[in-house]
Amino acid sequence: MISKPRGTNDILPSEVYKWHHIENAFRTICAEFGFEEIRTPAFEYTKLFKRGVGETTDIVQKEMFNVIPNVKIREIQGDEQSVASFNRYLEKEGMTLKPEGTAPVVRAFVENKLHGQGSMHKYYYVTPCFRHERPQAGRMRAFHQFGIEIFGSVSAISDAEVIALGATFIERMGLKAVELRINSIGCKACRPVYDKALSAFLEPKLPRLCETCNDRFSKNPMRILDCKNPSCQEEVQGAPVMLDYLCESCESHFSEVQNMLTGMKIEFIVDSGIVRGLDYYTKTAFEFISRDIGSQATVCGGGRYDGLIEEVGGPETPGVGFGMGMERLLLTMEQTRVEIPKPNYVDLFILNLGETAKAPALMLAQALRNEGIKVELDHLERSMKAQFKYANKIEVPYVIVLGEEEVRKKAFALKEMKTGTQVDYKMDEIKKIAAQIKAVE
Ligand code: ATP
Ligand code: MG
């Protein structure tokens, strides 16, 4: 027996309806808001994530799953200067499994010159993601994200609409105890001033901060505020907050976003601690945080990233979006006992008895499936009793029994399992049968 790798999960047929429920609702809401789906490969060049996610993030510093093709391994093993050659390879052509959804979407946007096709662009994605983290509840090595991006608008309307989609979706998922926390992390103009003040505050604390934070200090000191290390969190208490340093443009953008949210009756809390994991974020940063699921409480994170598209080689284009973790959303729903509607496995089970009933049962099943009815039939020549037992087990709402006599008469009864009511039909009354089954759906 070979087991699944640590931090991964099988989604079994008995659970998959929950995923369909979430995915369908997400696709529906994206369509309502005018977002179009975009799909990108499962892996990208490592350099995309280094640039598009940022060298100072946990993702790039610690969590990336790199992809090394077999030929490369053989080449390196046969090479005297293997380490140097391997490093050169990684630098230039190394590939990494997608750790998040945004950078690949930006890459596809730039590479396919979608910016030439209009001035504003709204995309959504649903994708598996991979991060080498310490597995725990709500923190997996293989997980799923869905998210949205708006490219091309600097307006606060875009920030507000992105947040509104997230809030509406979470509400539709039946989650109540989820808080929206928003912040502004400034822009090219005001961030450097803040970074200076923050650096001055942090410098004397460097010996007590972790190695990663020390590394971040010169590159992006704000990231230190987001460190998960409890002792680092302790040290940053009382640090200067970005909100006190916002320039006029960031200040007014932030208050516009807040006014729009208030106008849409979306509740939020301003939290200067929301600095988000990724570099190149500007202005608005937000998270949806569950009050129910302990330490992995962030269900959704997002914000504005006006520098990202340029960073990935595209024309200067503003962007705003969010990414939501499917497993975490589901965990929150389960912990707060949100009832997820379970669809019928099938609508109808055809019991067939004896050799002569097999072909007619198959034909009947096919005809009804073409009318949109979900049909299963016995393949195993089980006894009538065993077939009924199975029909009960799968909780099918309707059954038809096809035996020798039914086949000869070209007629049978459609039985409703819950009530026991039977209605007689001729073999060719397909549309009528379908209509009766559909009527109760
Ligand atoms: P965290 O602070 O929990 O590590 P993050 O800042 O790394 O989150 P993002 O990169 O913003 O998270 O990803 C967006 C969302 O994806 C998160 O809010 C979370 O719901 C989900 N997510 C991130 N990492 C994982 C993981 N390892 N397993 C499951 N879901 C995850
Ligand atoms: Mg993380």
Side-chain angles (χ1 to χ4, degrees), residues 131 133 138-140 143 145 228 276 298-299 323 325 328:
R131 299 186 191 179
E133 304 204 59
R139 199 174 284 289
M140 316 277 304
F143 62 102
Q145 266 189 1
K228 301 254 154 50
R276 304 292 310 129
T298 304
V299 175
R328 265 190 224 177

